[in-house]
Structure formats: C-alpha cells, structure tokens
C-alpha cells in the first residue's frame, strides 16, 4: 500500500524549513522542492540522474519505498552481489560478513536481468497468473463455505430428527408399560374386592346368628335348642371350611406390583455418553489453478548446485587443549554467532570454541552420557542424554541447564526447528515435544533411526544397522529411503539450505551428500582428506559452514585423538 504522508524537501528540511517536495531522485534518494530541484537538474554530477514526481513516489508500494541503494550498516553504495546469500553487498560487507563467500559478482551484471524487457514481461505475467490463482482459490473457498453451511444445516436436522424419533419411541414404550401396569393393577384389585365381598356375606350371616343366639337359648324349647344348635354347628363348620379352603387355595398369598425397567434402557444411561460424533472428512481438492512457470525460481535467483558440484574447502580445525585431548565427540554444532559447540562423552561435557576454533570454556557437565545435540534458538542447545530417557535444554551464554524433559524411551538423537523438538530412540519410536507447552506426541511410524535432522517440515534419520537414510513426514509417515552402496554405519547427518543431506559414514571414513529427492549420492570427503571415523556433523545454512568430527594421528609419541574440521560448502 502506498504511503499517504506528504513528503517534504530533504534539503530544506535539514535547514529547518518545511517545504513540500515535488521531485524524488532515485539515485540520490532525496526529495527536492521546486527551488532545490533546479540546481540538482543542472549540476554536472547529477543532471543525468533519474527522477520522478513526489506524487508518483507516493504511489509506490511501501516495500519499494524502503529499498535503498546504500548499505544500511556501512552507509556505502551496493556494488557487489553474494550469490550464496542472495543479497547485494557493499565493499565493507565483504570484509565483515562475506569473507568466506566465494560467489561474489558485480551487482551491475545481476541488474542487467532486471533491465531486460522480456524479464519484466515475464514477471508481469507471473503477477497476473498469481492474482488469477488467488481469485480462483477465493471463489473455491467461498463455495466451500456455502457447502459447509449446507452440511451444517443438514447435520442439525439429522440430529434433531434422531432426537424426535427417540422421544417418540420412548413415549410409546412408556405408554405400553403404563397400560400393562394399569391392567395388572385392576385385575389384582378386582380379585381381592370380589373375595372381600364374598367374605363379608359370610360375616354378615355369622353376625346375625351371634345376635340371635341369646334369644335362641332363652325362649326356645329344648327341641328347638337342639335343632338350632345343630344348624349353628353346620354353618360354623361350613364357614370354617370356607376360610380353610381359601387359605389352602393361595387366595391369601401376597401379590405385589413391581416394575422392572428394561436393562437396555439402564445400559443406555450408563454406556451412551455421546449423541454422536462430528467428523471432518478429507477428500481430494477440486480446485484447479494455473501451473506456475517452471523457470520462475531460476529467473532471478542463482541456480541450485547439483550433487556433483558440491566440493567442500577446508578452513580450519578446532584446537583441543592438551588437558582435555581425550575427548569422544558424539555431536558438534555451529552457533548463530559462528562459535562452535562439541559434546564430549568421555567427561560428559559441552565445550565451546571461538569462530577461529580456539577453546573458550566448558559450558556444562552432565551426570549422564550425552549422545546428541541440536540448536533450538539463539544460543539455546538441546542435549539428548541416552538411556536415562532425558533431554535437557542448555543456555550456552549462562552455562546452565534451563529445562529437563523426561520421556518414556531412550534419547539418542535430537533435532529442532525452534518450535518443536524431535527425539529419537534407535530401538523404538520418536517423540515430538512442543516447546511452547511441552506436550508430547509419539511418532510410532519412525523406528530404528539413531541421529535425526529437520528440514522444511520433514524428518530425516540415519539407520546405522541397516545402512540407510530415511525421510519422513513430520507426522511420522515414511516418504522415502535411500541405501547407497558406499555407506557404512551412518550416524550424524545435517542438511544445507537447498535440502542436500550430508551424512557421516563412520566405518568407511567418509562424508556423503545425498540429493533432496534421495536418489543421488556422492562422497565429498574421505580418508584421503584426513577424515577418520567421523561421528558428528553440522551445517550452518546461513553461512554454508560445515563442521565434521574426526580422529587425527598424534604428533611424535602422542596417541591419536579427536577434533573437528571446519569446511565451506
């Protein structure tokens, strides 16, 4: 977006005068008012400078307004171009930051490509194609939004229909049970009421005879008493037998109403803990976009070298102090500031060296044997502590362990992209640790790798028992494997900025480089270059420096010992 701020004349503003600018000089990078523009256009030194109106300058994108032809660090004009870092440089930059870069070219040669009308037309076409692809993608996503809205509505209807169906069915079952209860209740009540009515009739007859018994015995003749008593005996006998018959006929057994709810309903309440599951199912995208121009990446940027073009050149080697020469280097690192780190498993310590390979100090000593390390961010290093199932974070500047991470498996290899750690166990799986919340994710698909590395969302690992290199997705799915003939017990590995994989092959004293697709391999350092039993390797992707551990023969009567060689690749 172009700036809306009114620009002032740079010359007048330096003198404390505020005058609106009318012209921008693209070479002086200065605004001129109408009065200052005249001498600038007539001066012998600047009359050929290209200018543009201040209003047109305002229309330029902000990122173009911020581009300067001068180095901000040294205030000198850009004259060179570093092909390795893909950036312009001034003369001072070469001394300060690019003294090891071998591909320095005149900036004018690079800018010739920009001046080409064909080049401008190609990039204008690229912009048009990209915009069309973005519009196509937006329309596709808007269609998908409409589709998901429809899917959401149908899902709600489906859920509510199921709920109504369940409610209706349960209501029916409930009513059937209530009807059955009422029927059985009425039957029980009717049977007992009928029996009560019959027994009340018997009781009424007995009550009547009781009330008449005194009259019968007082006023009747002896014969009448005799006959009456016989009748009373007959009736009481019949009544007694009637009651005994009722009792023996189970008429007095208690019949209780009881409801037994369906066990399926009981298990429903216990077992059904969800009304359903909402899934997001993935299908192949139907989005069609225009293919990107194949030569676009190479149009302005330097060509990525092939495997056959990679030829390391030795710069220096670390100077190990005599009192700690018996080091066993299991890992080495290049820090962002150019210093070097090595892991010594003999004394379980992390050692720091200067840019020139001179020993600085011991950083920290571990209680367990260290197997591997990696850079996390700035000068924070992660160190894998093997069978103790522990990996720690070390602040190199403060020389202290600042975090301890406990896992359920051995910690032999460790790699980081600054946001996550991936920790490997050569006999089981790998674990990803989120450095933000320290949550763990098991990657069961990655097994048998010892040393690992991360690059552009993929995990690379060496399988030293099978002599092969494996490449996995960050989720653990295998992408490819490579098993060259000239590799023997591969251990340390690292990747450069182009995705080439560098492997330390211990048993045949060599460093190999594998193409990013895992199909081509080349030995770039060997026994002839002084490489002996290399175990550890690292590359700084910004500077192209590579550090490799190696045994070297001792001088005079000294025994051989380990150190690290530093190369430019």
């Amino acid at each position: 977006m172009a700036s809306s701020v009114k620009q002032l004349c740079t010359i007048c503003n330096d003198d404390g005068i505020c005058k609106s600018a009318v012209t921008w000089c693209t070479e002086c990078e200065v605004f001129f008012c109408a009065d200052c523009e005249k001498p600038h256009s007539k001066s012998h030194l600047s009359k050929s400078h290209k200018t543009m109106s201040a209003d047109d300058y305002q229309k330029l994108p902000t990122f173009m307004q911020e581009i300067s032809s001068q180095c901000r660090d040294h205030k000198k004009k850009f004259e060179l171009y570093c092909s390795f870092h893909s950036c312009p440089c001034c003369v001072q930059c070469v001394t300060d930051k690019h003294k090891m870069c071998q591909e320095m070219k005149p900036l004018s040669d690079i800018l010739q490509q920009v001046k080409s009308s064909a080049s401008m037309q190609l990039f204008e076409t690229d912009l048009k194609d990209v915009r069309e692809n973005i519009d196509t993608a937006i329309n596709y996503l808007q269609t998908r939004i409409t589709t998901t809205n429809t899917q959401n509505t149908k899902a709600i209807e489906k859920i509510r229909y199921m709920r109504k169906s369940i409610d209706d069915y349960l209501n029916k079952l409930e009513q059937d049970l209530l009807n059955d209860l009422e029927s059985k209740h009425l039957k029980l009540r009717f049977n007992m009421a009928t029996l009560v009515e019959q027994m009340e009739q018997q009781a009424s007859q007995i009550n009547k005879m009781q009330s008449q018994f005194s009259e019968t015995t007082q006023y009747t003749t002896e014969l009448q008493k005799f006959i009456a008593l016989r009748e009373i005996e007959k009736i009481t006998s019949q009544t007694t037998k009637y009651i005994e018959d009722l009792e023996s006929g189970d008429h007095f057994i208690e019949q209780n109403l009881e409801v037994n709810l369906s066990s399926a309903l009981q298990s429903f309440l216990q077992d059904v803990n969800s009304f359903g599951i909402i899934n997001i199912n993935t299908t192949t995208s139907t989005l069609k976009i225009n293919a990107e121009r194949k030569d676009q990446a190479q149009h302005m940027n330097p060509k990525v070298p092939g495997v056959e073009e990679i030829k390391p050149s030795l710069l220096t080697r670390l100077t190990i102090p005599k009192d700690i020469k018996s080091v066993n280097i299991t890992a080495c690192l290049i820090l962002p500031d150019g210093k070097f780190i090595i892991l010594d498993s003999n004394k379980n310590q992390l050692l720091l060296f200067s840019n020139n390979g001179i020993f600085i100090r011991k950083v920290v000593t571990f209680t367990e044997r260290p197997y591997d390390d990696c850079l996390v961010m700035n000068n924070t290093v992660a160190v894998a502590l093997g069978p103790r199932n522990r990996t720690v974070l070390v602040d190199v500047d403060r020389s202290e362990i600042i975090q301890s991470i406990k896992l359920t498996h051995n910690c032999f290899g460790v790699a980081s992209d600054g946001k996550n750690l991936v920790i490997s166990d050569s006999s089981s799986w790998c674990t990803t640790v989120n450095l933000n919340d320290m949550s763990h994710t098991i990657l069961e698909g990655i097994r048998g790798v010892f040393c690992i590395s991360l690059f552009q969302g993929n995990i690379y690992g060496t399988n030293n028992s099978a002599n092969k290199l494996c490449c996995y997705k960050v989720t653990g799915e295998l992408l490819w494997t490579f098993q060259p003939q000239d590799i023997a017990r591969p251990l340390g590995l690292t990747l450069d900025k182009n995705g080439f994989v560098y492997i330390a092959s211990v048993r045949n004293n060599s460093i190999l480089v594998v193409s990013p697709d895992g199909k081509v391999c080349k030995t770039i350092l060997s026994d002839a270059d002084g490489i002996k039993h290399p175990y550890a390797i690292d590359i700084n992707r910004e500077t192209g420096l590579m550090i490799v551990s190696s045994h070297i023969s001792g001088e005079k009567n000294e025994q051989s010992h380990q150190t690290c060689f530093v190369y430019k690749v």
Side-chain angles (χ1 to χ4, degrees):
M1 180 181 296
S3 173
S4 60
V5 179
K6 190 69 176 177
Q7 299 293 347
L8 300 176
C9 175
T10 306
I11 306 300
C12 294
N13 194 47
D14 288 344
D15 295 333
I17 302 172
C18 296
K19 296 179 72 174
S20 296
V22 296
T23 303
W24 165 259
C25 177
T26 59
E27 297 188 42
C28 295
E29 296 182 359
V30 170
F31 284 105
F32 294 105
C33 63
D35 294 335
C36 294
E37 194 275 337
K38 291 179 181 178
H40 175 266
S41 61
K42 293 181 179 179
S43 169
H44 176 72
L45 296 176
S46 59
K47 65 180 181 180
S48 60
H49 287 190
K50 293 183 178 179
T51 61
M52 63 191 302
S53 70
D55 291 338
D56 288 341
Y57 177 85
Q58 293 284 80
K59 297 175 184 178
L60 293 175
T62 302
F63 79 91
M64 293 192 70
Q65 293 180 11
E66 294 175 350
I67 297 174
S68 173
S69 62
Q70 288 190 345
C71 173
R72 293 184 179 181
D73 294 334
H74 306 110
K75 309 303 179 185
K76 295 180 181 293
K77 190 172 182 179
F78 289 129
E79 297 180 3
L80 300 169
Y81 183 83
C82 176
S83 299
F84 183 81
H85 290 97
S86 300
C87 67
C89 312
C90 71
V91 177
Q92 190 65 37
C93 287
V94 176
T95 303
D96 289 355
K97 299 179 181 180
H98 301 269
K99 58 185 177 182
M100 294 184 182
C101 299
Q102 300 176 351
E103 299 181 20
M104 303 296 293
K105 300 178 180 179
L107 182 60
S108 57
D109 292 349
I110 303 298
L111 297 182
Q112 278 299 121
Q113 300 178 40
V114 180
K115 296 178 182 180
S116 165
S117 59
S119 173
M120 298 299 290
Q121 290 175 0
L122 285 172
F123 279 96
E124 184 177 9
T125 301
D126 290 340
L127 286 172
K128 177 176 176 293
D129 291 342
V130 169
R131 177 53 192 267
E132 289 177 354
N133 286 338
I134 291 175
D135 290 342
T136 301
I138 290 173
N139 292 334
Y140 171 78
L141 291 175
Q142 288 174 339
T143 302
R144 291 298 306 156
I145 290 173
T146 302
T147 301
T148 54
N149 289 341
T150 303
Q151 291 170 344
N152 182 64
T153 301
K154 289 183 178 180
I156 292 173
E157 292 174 353
K158 185 176 181 180
I159 293 169
R160 289 178 176 167
Y161 176 76
M162 176 56 70
R163 174 59 185 267
K164 184 177 183 304
S165 299
I166 293 173
D167 288 345
D168 291 346
Y169 186 61
L170 288 176
N171 288 338
K172 177 182 178 302
L173 295 180
E174 179 188 33
Q175 191 59 51
D176 290 345
L177 187 59
L178 290 174
N179 291 342
D180 189 32
L181 174 63
E182 181 65 18
S183 173
K184 287 182 170 60
H185 174 236
L186 289 174
K187 183 178 179 181
L188 284 177
R189 192 173 66 179
F190 174 76
N191 291 340
M192 288 186 289
T194 301
L195 188 58
V196 168
E197 184 180 356
Q198 292 173 358
M199 294 183 70
E200 285 177 344
Q201 290 176 0
Q202 295 285 342
S204 176
Q205 186 178 6
I206 297 298
N207 287 339
K208 184 178 179 180
M209 292 184 72
Q210 278 182 314
S211 63
Q212 294 175 348
F213 185 79
S214 59
E215 287 85 356
T216 301
T217 57
Q218 185 177 358
Y219 301 110
T220 59
T221 65
E222 295 298 326
L223 177 62
Q224 287 175 324
K225 288 180 181 178
F226 175 76
I227 294 173
L229 291 174
R230 293 289 301 274
E231 186 63 26
I232 290 172
E233 182 183 15
K234 178 182 177 181
I235 291 173
T236 56
S237 296
Q238 288 177 350
T239 303
T240 299
K241 187 177 184 308
Y242 170 71
I243 294 173
E244 290 175 350
D245 289 344
L246 288 177
E247 185 179 15
S248 64
D250 297 337
H251 288 85
F252 295 136
I253 292 178
E254 293 184 5
Q255 293 180 301
N256 301 309
L257 282 172
E258 181 182 342
V259 61
N260 290 320
L261 296 177
S262 168
S263 60
L265 286 178
Q266 298 287 353
S267 64
F268 176 84
L269 294 175
Q270 296 174 1
D271 300 339
V272 178
N273 52 24
S274 170
F275 204 83
I277 298 175
I278 306 300
N279 291 320
I280 299 178
N281 297 321
T282 302
T283 58
T284 304
S285 171
T286 57
L287 175 65
K288 302 295 182 183
I289 61 175
N290 295 327
E292 184 181 19
R293 179 163 50 87
K294 292 183 178 180
D295 66 339
Q296 182 173 351
Q298 290 80 28
H299 191 68
M300 294 286 290
N301 298 322
K303 179 183 176 182
V304 175
V307 169
E308 66 283 350
E309 299 177 59
I310 298 177
K311 298 177 181 179
S313 55
L314 180 63
L315 298 179
T316 187
R317 82 179 191 189
L318 304 191
T319 302
I320 309 294
K322 292 184 178 180
D323 57 338
I324 57 172
K325 270 196 174 182
S326 60
V327 295
N328 182 28
I329 301 172
T330 57
C332 53
L333 278 179
I334 304 175
L335 296 177
D337 59 6
K339 294 184 178 69
F340 304 103
I341 284 281
I342 68 170
L343 267 184
D344 171 24
S345 65
N346 273 352
K347 296 183 179 179
N348 300 339
Q349 55 190 355
L350 194 67
L351 305 176
L352 178 66
F353 292 78
S354 71
N355 306 53
N356 297 325
I358 306 301
F359 176 71
I360 298 176
R361 60 183 167 86
K362 177 183 70 178
V363 178
V364 68
T365 299
F366 307 100
T367 56
E368 304 99 329
R369 180 186 178 187
Y371 280 81
D372 194 15
D373 63 14
C374 72
L375 180 68
V376 177
M377 61 182 70
N378 300 325
N379 276 8
T380 299
V381 174
V383 181
L385 299 177
R388 296 304 181 102
N389 301 357
R390 195 164 73 102
T391 295
V392 296
L393 301 184
V394 177
D395 187 317
V396 175
D397 295 331
R398 290 157 51 190
S399 295
E400 64 178 359
I401 296 174
I402 58 175
Q403 182 83 42
S404 179
I405 303 167
K406 188 70 175 177
L407 298 185
T408 58
H409 59 74
N410 297 331
C411 302
F412 289 130
V414 63
S416 177
D417 58 5
K419 298 179 181 178
N420 298 283
L421 283 180
V422 180
I423 304 166
S424 66
D425 178 352
S426 60
S427 60
S428 65
W429 51 76
C430 290
T431 296
T432 298
V433 179
N434 186 313
L435 291 171
N436 184 38
D437 58 14
M438 290 297 163
S439 59
H440 296 187
T441 302
I442 299 294
L443 303 178
E444 295 190 2
I446 304 180
R447 291 176 178 266
V449 297
F450 191 86
C451 293
I452 55 175
S453 187
L454 293 175
F455 184 74
Q456 294 185 352
N458 291 336
I459 300 173
Y460 297 78
T462 51
N463 186 320
N464 56 19
S465 60
N467 291 330
K468 64 182 179 181
L469 169 69
C470 304
C471 177
Y472 303 86
K473 291 182 180 179
V474 74
T475 50
E477 293 88 351
L478 180 65
L479 290 175
W480 51 259
T481 60
F482 185 56
Q483 196 169 13
Q485 294 180 350
D486 50 352
I487 193 169
R489 196 175 177 234
L491 287 174
L493 79 161
T494 186
L495 289 94
D496 66 14
K497 67 174 184 177
N498 297 316
F500 288 96
V501 189
Y502 295 72
I503 305 172
S505 182
V506 177
R507 288 184 179 164
N508 60 357
N509 303 323
S510 62
I511 302 297
L512 291 80
V513 61
V514 179
S515 61
D517 58 3
K519 295 181 178 180
V520 181
C521 176
K522 174 191 174 185
T523 298
I524 56 173
L525 293 172
S526 65
D527 201 344
D529 301 295
I531 298 297
K532 303 283 187 181
H533 307 298
Y535 191 103
I537 186 171
D538 185 43
I539 284 181
N540 184 313
R541 293 171 190 162
E542 294 295 324
T543 63
L545 292 183
M546 178 176 72
I547 183 171
V548 177
S549 69
S550 175
H551 280 78
I552 58 174
S553 299
E555 299 177 2
K556 296 182 180 179
N557 297 326
E558 293 182 358
Q559 295 181 346
S560 65
H561 60 279
Q562 279 189 296
T563 187
C564 286
F565 294 105
V566 180
Y567 298 86
K568 175 70 176 180
V569 294

